[in-house]
């Protein structure tokens, strides 16, 4: 204060009488007394709780930003993966709607199978979205049981085969049929869908 004519402010770590540390904010200014004896005008405020609250808000904001970034990534991936089966569906139904006279029964049956496959893929992706939403809300039930790993992998591969085909990717599985998995079925399928989709 001897070197400053203006008011100064700062923070310092103090201790209470019982030894508990507290964070204080202080201000101080030196005055010249009328009797020639200088004195200091100072205020001190305990800001321990306020700073803890600020830190808590900063952590919450960081978590929220991270959560929003994860949601943005998730919806971007979902939109990208939905585009494939939707385009396939639109293309097939367009041919059936605009060129019915040149589409024979065999070709129609093939189109119906492809439409069905695309609809399964869309349903699967929407279910994936719902599972993710429930997991974010903490309402996803966990009921583990013994599962046939080969069967759920095959089911997942079949669901995603149309997307893989559109990307010129061949998925082959080599899993011993004796292998059993102890897990929640919905969670296991979600993990497999995410792994294969990625």
């Amino acid at each position: 204060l001897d070197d400053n004519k203006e008011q100064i402010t700062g923070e310092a770590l103090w201790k209470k009488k019982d030894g508990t540390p507290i964070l204080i904010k202080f201000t101080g200014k030196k005055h010249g007394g009328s009797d020639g004896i200088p004195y200091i005008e100072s205020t001190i405020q305990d800001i321990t709780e306020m700073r803890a609250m600020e830190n808590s808000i900063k952590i919450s904001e960081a978590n929220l930003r991270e959560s929003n970034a994860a949601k943005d990534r998730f919806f971007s991936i979902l939109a990208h993966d939905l585009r494939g089966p939707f385009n396939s569906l639109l293309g097939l139904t367009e041919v059936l709607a605009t060129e019915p006279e040149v589409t024979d029964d065999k070709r129609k049956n093939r189109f119906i199978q492809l439409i069905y496959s695309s609809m399964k893929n869309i349903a699967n992706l929407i279910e994936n979205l719902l599972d993710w939403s429930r997991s974010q809300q903490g309402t996803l039930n966990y009921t583990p049981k013994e599962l046939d790993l080969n069967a759920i992998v095959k089911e997942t591969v079949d669901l995603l085969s149309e997307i893989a085909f559109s990307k010129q990717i061949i998925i082959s599985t080599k899993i011993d049929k004796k292998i059993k998995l102890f897990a929640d079925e919905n969670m296991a399928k979600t993990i497999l869908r995410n792994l294969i989709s990625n």
Side-chain angles (χ1 to χ4, degrees), residues 67 70-71 130-140:
S67 176
K71 286 177 186 176
L130 292 172
D131 285 345
W132 179 82
S133 176
R134 285 193 291 266
S135 73
Q136 293 296 300
Q137 295 169 5
T139 58
L140 196 63

Side-chain angles (χ1 to χ4, degrees), residues 20 50-51 55 60 68 74 105 139 146 162 171 185 192:
T20 306
M50 184 179 73
R51 186 53 50 81
N55 290 337
S60 295
N68 285 338
F74 181 83
D105 288 343
T139 58
E146 189 175 274
E162 189 69 25
I171 304 172
E185 186 170 359
L192 287 167

Side-chain angles (χ1 to χ4, degrees), residues 73-127:
R73 286 193 301 270
F74 181 83
F75 284 120
S76 175
I77 292 166
L78 185 70
H80 179 269
D81 286 346
L82 277 171
R83 190 179 296 126
F86 263 119
N87 286 341
S88 176
L89 198 58
L90 285 169
L92 293 167
T93 52
E94 182 183 7
V95 172
L96 289 172
T98 60
E99 303 175 24
E101 68 284 352
V102 297
T103 309
D104 57 29
D105 288 343
K106 186 176 180 182
R107 196 177 180 198
K108 281 181 183 177
N109 287 335
R110 174 62 182 151
F111 278 12
I112 289 167
Q113 289 297 320
L114 290 171
I115 289 168
Y116 173 66
S117 177
S118 292
M119 290 302 294
K120 278 176 71 177
N121 284 333
I122 291 168
N124 170 58
L125 289 166
I126 291 171
E127 187 62 34

Side-chain angles (χ1 to χ4, degrees), residues 9-53:
T9 61
E11 294 179 6
L13 193 63
W14 278 12
K15 285 185 181 180
K16 293 183 179 181
K17 288 181 180 179
D18 62 2
T20 306
I22 60 168
L23 185 66
I24 60 109
K25 180 179 180 180
F26 64 85
T27 63
K29 187 174 182 180
K30 186 177 179 181
H31 295 277
S34 57
D35 55 1
I37 300 173
Y39 68 94
I40 294 170
E41 176 190 5
S42 180
T43 60
I44 296 170
Q45 179 186 6
D46 182 353
I47 59 169
T48 310
E49 289 185 11
M50 184 179 73
R51 186 53 50 81
M53 191 178 296

